[in-house]
Amino acid sequence: MNILVVNCGSSSLKFQLIDSDTEKANASGNCERIGLDGKITYKTNGKKTEIDVGLPNHAVAIKKVLDLLVDSNDGVIKSLDEINAVGHRMVHGGEKFSSSVVITDEIIKEIETCNDLAPLHNPANILGIRACQEVMPNVKHVAVFDTAFHQTMPPKAYLYALPKEYYEKYGVRRYGFHGTSHSFVSKRLAELAGIDYNNSKMIICHIGSGASISAIKDGKSIDTSMGMTPLEGLVMGTRSGDIDPAIIEYICQKEGISVSEMTLILNKNSGVLGLSGISNDFRDLVEAREQGNKDAKYALEVLVNRVIKYIGAYYMELGGADAIAFTAGGGENNSEIRKDIMDGLSAIGIKMNEEANKKRGEEVLLSTSDSKIQVWVVPTNEELAIARETLRFA
Ligand code: AMP
């Protein structure tokens, strides 16, 4: 079966057409600058094409994508009838959605009630759903939520110590994100480590420009570092992660800025970019550190220290750990950051295989045979995870 996976942002639409038999993407790409001028990057059979084309809205973007998929030269299918189902990445499902669902008008209304919790993402995701439904009314559209996997967290992990009416009235609680990645990677980690998924303790470190870590017990998320929004937790490319909440008022007063402006700073100008003043890309920081740049060194140290703290906390929360995985751009590729993190984990008996750690971007056992806990690199594949979920309903 062919599953089209769609991930819509406010001005972008990423897609992959995945063959469920081979689990390979036969075509993939990205529509950017929707509503501005428009550009499509389209990849198939190892060939990459960039097309400047007017993309006034998401509906036009998806039509152009479908035209490309059936194009007589660059297409990978003969007709749209060959698309069996569409999987949509949805950022926030609140407490309503603890698993994927087939999209109906009723479901869209329910998703819309979660829009306040992700005002930048959810409306864009819904735009994408509507645009796809319009051109493909006869196939099943499935919503796969970033938050769903973490709905198994117990109250002690998801409640904030705030007046309880904020939770009751406004849904202020930890939801967690990157759920499709944590689910996909933890399942694969269990296979690689030879442990029973339903009787296991795992810690998954998703270290990309957005970063989060999760504690998975018996195949269920019991805690995760991102919170009501994806701002909490680890130090990220441009996001601060955990800070003392009193800092917000303090800086607002000192700088004469609004809370909204400060929130933007916490999301866009903080993290390793803010700390280093150099880059939000971990590679640039490792390079700058090698050249003696102190700010890059400190930025990486803060990032690494935060990951170590969370692993320590989750180790205790889980009551031990059978296996740990590194995933996402930084976790899969950045040997230097991995080494710094693993050096900080010796207290729980983790030992690193330096030779294995030289590998980048592939499944590899990073720990030595006498390490108390297996540590693996497990490349994530959120699109494939969405396609697998969608297939369940196709
Ligand atoms: P993501 O958001 O998952 O795409 O991850 C982005 C981060 O992954 C960036 O900070 C990159 O520095 C890092 N990354 C991606 N590829 C590599 C690589 N080949 N070597 C080192 N770091 C990488």
Side-chain angles (χ1 to χ4, degrees):
M1 283 201 193
N2 286 307
I3 310 288
L4 181 64
V5 175
V6 176
N7 179 358
C8 257
S10 52
S11 65
S12 68
L13 185 157
K14 290 191 199 129
F15 64 93
Q16 283 195 8
L17 187 69
I18 295 181
D19 177 338
S20 64
D21 294 330
T22 60
E23 296 206 319
K24 295 269 174 289
N26 287 333
S28 64
N30 191 7
C31 302
E32 293 166 89
R33 301 177 61 81
I34 299 172
L36 298 166
D37 39 16
K39 182 176 138 188
I40 305 180
T41 310
Y42 179 69
K43 280 191 245 169
T44 181
N45 301 324
K47 185 176 153 197
K48 184 171 162 186
T49 323
E50 288 191 1
I51 309 153
D52 288 316
V53 58
L55 298 176
N57 54 49
H58 289 76
V60 173
I62 191 69
K63 280 188 190 120
K64 299 277 181 204
V65 167
L66 297 176
D67 287 347
L68 283 166
L69 292 175
V70 298
D71 184 83
S72 53
N73 292 321
D74 292 326
V76 289
I77 48 176
K78 290 202 181 67
S79 99
L80 294 184
D81 295 340
E82 291 177 41
I83 298 177
N84 302 92
V86 185
H88 296 267
R89 179 186 183 213
M90 282 298 312
V91 167
H92 220 305
E95 285 187 326
K96 289 200 165 70
F97 298 99
S98 54
S99 58
S100 311
V101 282
V102 174
I103 300 167
T104 60
D105 285 347
E106 222 21 67
I107 291 288
I108 291 186
K109 277 192 203 126
E110 283 194 47
I111 295 174
E112 279 170 342
T113 65
C114 307
N115 281 7
D116 272 359
L117 294 166
L120 297 178
H121 294 100
N122 267 26
N125 297 156
I126 293 169
L127 270 179
I129 291 173
R130 292 207 189 280
C132 290
Q133 282 180 323
E134 201 183 310
V135 281
M136 288 173 284
N138 299 322
V139 298
K140 278 197 179 132
H141 294 259
V142 176
V144 182
F145 299 90
D146 254 24
T147 46
F149 182 62
H150 299 299
Q151 276 297 301
T152 46
M153 282 188 291
K156 67 178 175 184
Y158 72 68
L159 288 176
Y160 291 116
L162 292 168
K164 68 181 168 61
E165 63 260 33
Y166 298 145
Y167 168 57
E168 290 160 356
K169 285 199 288 192
Y170 311 124
V172 173
R173 54 158 282 179
R174 175 183 316 286
Y175 292 97
F177 297 86
H178 291 144
T180 37
S181 176
H182 287 286
S183 164
F184 179 89
V185 171
S186 58
K187 285 188 187 113
R188 183 67 187 139
L189 176 62
E191 286 171 2
L192 290 167
I195 51 186
D196 174 8
Y197 190 58
N198 297 317
N199 185 17
S200 63
K201 296 166 181 173
M202 291 185 262
I203 299 172
I204 310 299
C205 311
H206 178 115
I207 303 176
S209 35
S212 68
I213 182 162
S214 64
I216 316 289
K217 189 169 189 193
D218 302 337
K220 294 192 171 64
S221 173
I222 62 155
D223 208 347
T224 191
S225 58
M226 282 180 168
M228 186 180 90
T229 76
L231 184 54
E232 193 183 347
L234 301 181
V235 175
M236 311 183 210
T238 63
R239 284 175 244 164
S240 64
D242 299 336
I243 60 162
D244 177 349
I247 292 171
I248 295 174
E249 187 191 7
Y250 184 80
I251 303 274
C252 285
Q253 281 179 358
K254 291 282 180 200
E255 294 273 316
I257 57 176
S258 66
V259 172
S260 306
E261 286 170 307
M262 187 64 209
T263 305
L264 201 64
I265 290 168
L266 292 172
N267 274 294
K268 302 274 181 205
N269 303 55
S270 302
V272 289
L273 171 67
L275 272 169
S276 69
I278 295 171
S279 171
N280 62 344
D281 191 303
F282 308 140
R283 276 170 292 201
D284 298 339
L285 297 175
V286 169
E287 207 180 301
R289 178 175 68 179
E290 277 162 13
Q291 287 159 5
N293 186 297
K294 277 228 165 62
D295 293 328
K297 176 175 175 283
Y298 292 146
L300 288 168
E301 281 176 3
V302 177
L303 178 147
V304 164
N305 192 45
R306 186 77 50 87
V307 177
I308 293 169
K309 277 199 220 179
Y310 268 97
I311 291 176
Y314 288 170
Y315 180 83
M316 295 308 291
E317 213 173 329
L318 285 163
D322 302 312
I324 296 177
F326 286 105
T327 193
E332 290 165 26
N333 298 293
N334 204 305
S335 312
E336 295 83 358
I337 289 181
R338 288 196 307 239
K339 177 178 167 30
D340 293 348
I341 294 170
M342 286 181 70
D343 282 350
L345 300 175
S346 57
I348 55 172
I350 287 179
K351 290 188 196 161
M352 195 182 73
N353 176 340
E354 304 264 353
E355 206 45 43
N357 189 42
K358 288 182 185 155
K359 298 219 168 118
R360 294 174 191 260
E362 58 183 287
E363 287 178 348
V364 59
L365 176 64
L366 293 177
S367 50
T368 57
S369 54
D370 61 340
S371 174
K372 266 200 184 154
I373 301 169
Q374 293 189 45
V375 183
W376 285 82
V377 172
V378 181
T380 192
N381 189 339
E382 289 174 277
E383 289 76 17
L384 177 56
I386 294 172
R388 284 182 183 166
E389 276 293 292
T390 306
L391 189 63
R392 293 202 294 123
F393 302 92

